[in-house]
Amino acid sequence: DVYKRQVFENTSGDGGSNGISLSAERTFQASIPVDMTEAEAKEAASSVTWTLTPDADAPDYLDDTQFPNQTEGGPLSAWLCQDGETPFFTDVATAAETVDGQVYLTVTFANQCYFGDDLSVPHSNGGSYMDVCGYFTLSAGLDGKTLGSVDLKVAPYDNFHTMSEIYDELDALVDYAAGHTDLYVEQFSMGQSQGDNGLESLDMPYLIVAKDKAAVDKWQEIKAEAESDPTALLKKLESGALGDYQVPVMYSNIHANEVAASDGILAFAWMLVETAASESGTIDYDKLTGFTAAGKAELAEQMGPAGEEGSVAVPDLVADDATYLGYIKGENADGTTASISTQVELEKYLSLIHI
């Protein structure tokens, strides 16, 4: 069936997904088969309107009660960036071609960053950008008739997950680990959200990835003794009687609306289980060992002189223990220091060892 050959793809060559990202500027191509001769298609190409509207047949992406202003979509030329003025899509061009005897209408276009110069997907205004995200249908129209369409997804960034997608991803991750690794991987719920304003209470999930369940049980025993008899536990530690054990490390997002953190944690968990399933079973990483001269200067400037108003210079209490290797912040597009995490030139500011 030639109609299964409808294609939408990211043609940027950046390795990103074949969807539209609000924060990544890319080029795209969509091809749809049409019931026309090539000559008819070429004549129609100059008058075709490409429209991006919500896919009525796709599963719900968001709760309408929480996001009541979701876009109804419209022609590509009508989509605007967050400032309400800048076109989101540019360089829209339509052509016709024949492949294996089937005539296609093909559109190429590009998108700009929805947030202007800020590629971090700012989480202000309650994530209002979600109003333009979800499952969409890109349709070619001519004289009030739809010639064909292709489905696609619009998201803040490639690995963004809604809460329902996080639940699905956790299930998939646990199943994959069980079928491909010897790791102990299990998800739990730490409780439920408040569920006020008439909204449903939702599980707040957490995931354990460990060498085996015995390691987790051993730590639970240590934790219980630390709470009930810390003096006895300290003596075991000092004498070595505690034996071999693994100390847990927790990865979590701090604020509920800083959703990129949960997506990063999911990506990290997948990296762990996929590495365990690989032949090498090892992960390459960079170890930070100290600051370069430029790093020391940048750290001092960003922290400010000790004692001055607004200074966050290293307190004497932790001066001998704190490294502050993760302190340096990146820059905004205008060259000012970013108030939130942005990309930092690690090699410029930090000494690294690749392991």
Side-chain angles (χ1 to χ4, degrees), residues 20 25 37 67-68 79 101-102 125 132 164 177 190 214 218 220-221 231-232 246 271 299 326 332 335 337 353:
I20 296 175
E25 297 185 345
T37 65
F67 293 89
W79 282 64
Q102 173 62 47
N125 300 323
V132 295
S164 62
M190 67 182 75
K218 178 67 177 289
Q220 295 284 20
E221 295 172 3
T231 301
Q246 285 75 46
M271 182 180 69
L299 179 69
N332 292 311
T337 300
I353 297 177

Side-chain angles (χ1 to χ4, degrees), residues 60-205:
D60 291 338
Y61 186 64
L62 296 168
D63 186 333
D64 290 340
T65 60
Q66 296 181 58
F67 293 89
N69 302 314
Q70 293 179 65
T71 180
E72 295 181 356
L76 293 183
S77 58
W79 282 64
L80 302 176
C81 292
Q82 194 173 49
D83 62 9
E85 299 178 359
T86 306
F88 182 48
F89 297 117
T90 62
D91 304 322
V92 181
T94 307
E97 60 178 347
T98 301
V99 179
D100 296 333
Q102 173 62 47
V103 178
Y104 290 85
L105 278 175
T106 298
V107 62
T108 56
F109 60 97
N111 76 296
Q112 302 195 76
C113 177
Y114 182 77
F115 309 101
D117 293 331
D118 190 346
L119 303 181
S120 70
V121 187
H123 52 266
S124 59
N125 300 323
S128 59
Y129 52 82
M130 293 303 296
D131 286 333
V132 295
C133 295
Y135 301 105
F136 287 82
T137 298
L138 179 63
S139 304
L142 181 65
D143 299 330
K145 178 183 177 182
T146 299
L147 303 177
S149 63
V150 63
D151 296 331
L152 58 94
K153 184 178 182 180
V154 180
Y157 45 86
D158 286 349
N159 65 332
F160 175 87
H161 295 83
T162 63
M163 199 64 232
S164 62
E165 288 173 334
I166 287 178
Y167 294 142
D168 292 341
E169 194 78 0
L170 287 173
D171 289 340
L173 197 155
V174 171
D175 289 344
Y176 179 88
H180 297 82
T181 79
D182 294 326
L183 295 177
Y184 170 67
V185 181
E186 188 173 358
Q187 66 167 309
F188 301 87
S189 174
M190 67 182 75
Q192 290 192 312
S193 58
Q194 186 173 350
D196 56 359
N197 299 324
L199 301 178
E200 179 186 2
S201 292
L202 300 175
D203 278 324
M204 297 185 290

Side-chain angles (χ1 to χ4, degrees), residues 207-280:
L207 185 75
I208 291 180
V209 180
K211 172 185 175 183
D212 49 41
K213 190 173 185 302
V216 178
D217 292 340
K218 178 67 177 289
W219 180 256
Q220 295 284 20
E221 295 172 3
I222 294 173
K223 183 186 71 171
E225 187 170 3
E227 294 172 348
S228 62
D229 193 352
T231 301
L233 180 62
L234 286 173
K235 290 181 179 179
K236 290 180 181 179
L237 280 170
E238 292 169 354
S239 67
L242 195 59
D244 190 23
Y245 62 93
Q246 285 75 46
V247 177
V249 179
M250 186 178 77
Y251 295 85
S252 174
N253 59 320
I254 299 174
H255 302 120
N257 64 345
E258 293 174 353
V259 294
S262 55
D263 292 317
I265 295 165
L266 271 177
F268 180 62
W270 271 113
M271 182 180 69
L272 291 177
V273 298
E274 288 178 338
T275 300
S278 68
E279 291 185 6
S280 68

Side-chain angles (χ1 to χ4, degrees), residues 7-25:
V7 174
F8 179 82
E9 58 184 341
N10 163 22
T11 56
S12 303
D14 63 355
S17 71
N18 286 325
I20 296 175
S21 165
L22 297 185
S23 53
E25 297 185 345

